[in-house]
Amino acid sequence: MPKPTRTRAVTNAQVRSYAGKAQEYLDAAQSEITAERYIAATSLAIHAAINAADAVCGARLGVRAAGEAHDHALALLRTAGSDGAAVEKELNRLLPLKTKAEYEPDDVAAGAATKAVERAGRCVAIARKVATSTG
């Protein structure tokens, strides 16, 4: 039997906070693209999407994933309606870049970093939308 996903309760104020953090990470990622620092841009984009996922899950489910594996966040997003499914699709494509950007010696290509920032931007737009719809 698969291990159940650990979660933490999320208030409406925290949903807005996660969405704000997601936007801040995205803004920083976009600045790093402009500065041609593609490893940093990719890492920041991934963190933007993770915070966006927390905002969406918090808004739609009242909880966020609290496990160590990001796969738990993906599984939770799948239960968070169409907004969750949209973020899950983008985050699922971003997570494989996390190890490369943060732990391996290889560079991240400009095109891959730019695409990562675009994907994160879609996640953040959804998080901002759901955050403004919460009480």
Side-chain angles (χ1 to χ4, degrees), residues 1-7 65-69 71-73 75-76 78:
M1 177 184 286
K3 191 174 181 180
T5 300
R6 284 188 21 221
T7 60
E68 292 180 24
D71 290 346
H72 294 172
L76 198 58
R78 283 184 216 110

Side-chain angles (χ1 to χ4, degrees), residues 8-21:
R8 287 215 172 102
V10 176
T11 66
N12 287 342
Q14 289 170 324
V15 166
R16 291 186 293 278
S17 179
Y18 284 124
K21 286 175 64 174

Side-chain angles (χ1 to χ4, degrees), residues 55-102:
V56 170
C57 287
R60 298 295 183 240
L61 305 171
V63 297
R64 67 168 179 84
E68 292 180 24
H70 292 297
D71 290 346
H72 294 172
L74 295 173
L76 198 58
L77 281 164
R78 283 184 216 110
T79 68
S82 60
D83 292 324
V87 172
E88 186 267 340
K89 175 183 170 186
E90 302 298 346
L91 184 58
N92 193 39
R93 291 183 173 144
L94 286 167
L95 287 175
L97 296 172
K98 189 173 189 319
T99 298
K100 181 174 184 171
E102 296 182 2

